[in-house]
Amino acid sequence: GLREVQIKFNETAAMLAVSFGLVSAAAAFNVETLPAARQQLTRAMAPSMGYETELGATGPLGYWDPLGLASKASPEQFARFRAVELKHGRIAMAASTGYIVQSFLRFPGYLSVSEKIKFADLPNGIAGFGKIPPAGLLQILLGIGLMEGLTWKFYEGPWPGKVPEGKAPGDVAGDLWVRYPDPEVKADKLNIELNNGRAAMMGITGMLMHDHLTGSWIPPGF
């Protein structure tokens, strides 16, 4: 009946999301870059140039901008696009790792002593938010606000903001960040981060969909 068709469609959609995540993950470990990408790392972008040789234009897709967003962007806008991509990729990498780790490891003790909620009592994924007390959700939002506005500022100025003057997109950790004096090594490391972040964004999307539809982030049959 209609119910069976809907369930089959949901399962197919979830499997497609996971499949895209796996393909992206495989591509993430291919760090072969265009030779010119390394040269772009140390020189400023001229307004008339394209972005085909910027960092992130790696195999197997190379430069991929099907909507043509970069072709209409100024160097300042492109830098913000890159900062957004790096930020979301880092969040997705942390989320994917946390999703997997929470499947077999939890902090000991209580999330809320007053409400007698242990960390082990929380379900994984989206369902876990329904078990967090309001005060805990407020602490999470406060922590995010502090990181956004004080400690790890990816943008500055009025909305939508721009990359801070004199900073490369995503350079938010100051002296704590690992620095690579060799431009070629630095370009390779940044490309690895970009590709792993892209794979993680697809991966966490697949995990969330699967967990929501089937109750587990692990695809059927594994």
Side-chain angles (χ1 to χ4, degrees), residues 12-30 59-61 96 100 195-210 217-222:
T12 303
M15 287 302 297
L16 284 173
V18 173
S19 298
F20 280 126
L22 292 174
V23 170
S24 298
F29 292 97
N30 185 346
L61 294 179
S96 299
I100 296 170
N195 281 334
N196 286 349
R198 292 165 180 171
M201 284 188 275
M202 294 299 299
I204 191 61
T205 301
M207 288 178 183
L208 290 170
M209 286 185 64
H210 239 289
W217 64 271
I218 303 174
F222 285 83

Side-chain angles (χ1 to χ4, degrees), residues 122-189:
L122 291 178
N124 209 352
I126 300 174
F129 280 98
K131 301 292 185 179
I132 301 175
L137 293 174
L138 181 61
Q139 291 175 41
I140 292 173
L141 292 175
L142 179 61
I144 293 173
L146 290 173
M147 287 188 289
E148 288 276 358
L150 296 177
T151 58
W152 295 343
K153 293 180 65 174
F154 279 76
Y155 329 111
E156 65 179 6
W159 175 261
K162 63 179 182 178
V163 175
E165 196 71 30
K167 291 279 190 179
D171 188 359
V172 296
D175 293 335
L176 297 176
W177 218 250
V178 177
R179 304 293 175 177
Y180 298 95
D182 187 321
E184 184 171 333
V185 173
K186 184 174 183 179
D188 284 341
K189 297 295 185 181

